[in-house]
Amino acid sequence: WLEPRRSAQLQEIENLLASDDQELIGDFSKPHLLPTVEGKDPGLKYISPSTLAAVLSGSYSGCIGSSVVVDCRYPYEYEGGHVKGAVNLPLQRDLEQFLLESPAAPQEGGKRVIIIFHCEFSVERGPKMCRFLRERDRRRHEYPRLRYPELYVLKGGYREFFAQFPGHCEPRGYRPMEHPAFREQLRRFRGQSR
């Protein structure tokens, strides 16, 4: 008795995908809320630094119930300056524990839960963690359901965001991954990340 229902659900998903699959969130239930920009990985949705600043300033508070900015940089980078309120999750096990084992609860009233990833430039670590969360979230739910259907990557990463919006950063600083004073920590974290 489930087959006709499953078939109808698959048909509905296929119809949504045929209409405009690039604009729907991960569970295909609605379009992305935030305006997106072109990014390196066409399979991910990127936002500009100004869009993140608008989220932090409350411009989307009528639609967003909860937003989590995930800083995928190493702790010494994060301590040198980060987006106010960002959580530092440099390793996959940290991300899995924080978002999937004790997940943020969706808000009442149909408001969205969005996750925004970044690293120093949002070229490697941030996008990799975004893909990792989506893959692990998919494993835990029956397709197309997801705990976090709306994921974004900050284009240009912390470096670009800090250059444009230092007032949204604490402390107001920027420590690059390749900082000479932290070579040993960089070596250790790169080893743990593999």
Side-chain angles (χ1 to χ4, degrees):
W1 64 273
L2 282 176
E3 285 307 311
R5 182 171 179 213
R6 176 174 286 242
S7 178
Q9 287 176 331
L10 288 174
Q11 184 61 48
E12 183 180 346
I13 290 167
E14 288 172 2
N15 290 342
L16 284 170
L17 288 172
S19 65
D20 193 357
D21 67 327
Q22 293 301 307
E23 297 306 317
L24 297 176
I25 63 174
D27 64 2
F28 314 116
S29 63
K30 58 186 89 118
H32 285 87
L33 173 66
L34 302 179
T36 59
V37 295
E38 293 258 339
K40 182 179 179 186
D41 184 335
L44 300 175
K45 293 299 179 187
Y46 290 80
I47 61 169
S48 68
S50 59
T51 297
L52 176 55
V55 169
L56 297 172
S57 298
S59 297
Y60 292 92
S61 62
C63 302
I64 296 175
S66 176
S67 62
V68 179
V69 178
V70 178
D71 188 328
C72 303
R73 297 176 303 150
Y74 303 134
Y76 66 89
E77 295 173 272
Y78 177 85
E79 291 161 6
H82 57 270
V83 176
K84 288 180 184 174
V87 292
N88 187 216
L89 304 172
L91 303 174
Q92 290 178 344
R93 67 174 179 254
D94 300 329
L95 180 72
E96 198 163 17
Q97 182 178 12
F98 185 82
L99 289 173
L100 294 173
E101 291 174 16
S102 53
Q107 299 295 315
E108 299 295 321
K111 289 189 175 185
R112 301 180 190 216
V113 175
I114 64 166
I115 314 292
I116 301 167
F117 292 86
H118 76 84
C119 55
E120 186 174 7
F121 304 108
S122 289
V123 172
E124 187 176 330
R125 294 175 286 172
K128 181 179 175 183
M129 291 290 259
C130 184
R131 287 189 300 273
F132 174 79
L133 177 62
R134 175 54 47 83
E135 183 265 325
R136 290 299 163 102
D137 199 0
R138 282 260 185 248
R139 280 192 200 172
R140 291 172 177 245
H141 297 95
E142 185 177 328
Y143 189 86
R145 284 192 57 240
L146 290 165
R147 178 75 181 176
Y148 302 106
E150 198 154 1
L151 307 178
Y152 298 95
V153 176
L154 174 63
K155 186 171 184 177
Y158 181 74
R159 181 177 183 218
E160 189 66 33
F161 185 79
F162 177 71
Q164 294 181 33
F165 300 99
H168 281 293
C169 301
E170 60 183 12
R172 282 191 188 193
Y174 165 58
R175 183 177 293 152
M177 181 181 76
E178 300 278 347
H179 193 289
F182 297 91
R183 283 192 180 122
E184 181 57 32
Q185 289 184 42
L186 172 59
R187 189 187 63 73
R188 190 175 73 244
F189 274 100
R190 276 191 169 154
Q192 290 177 343
S193 297
R194 292 195 173 113

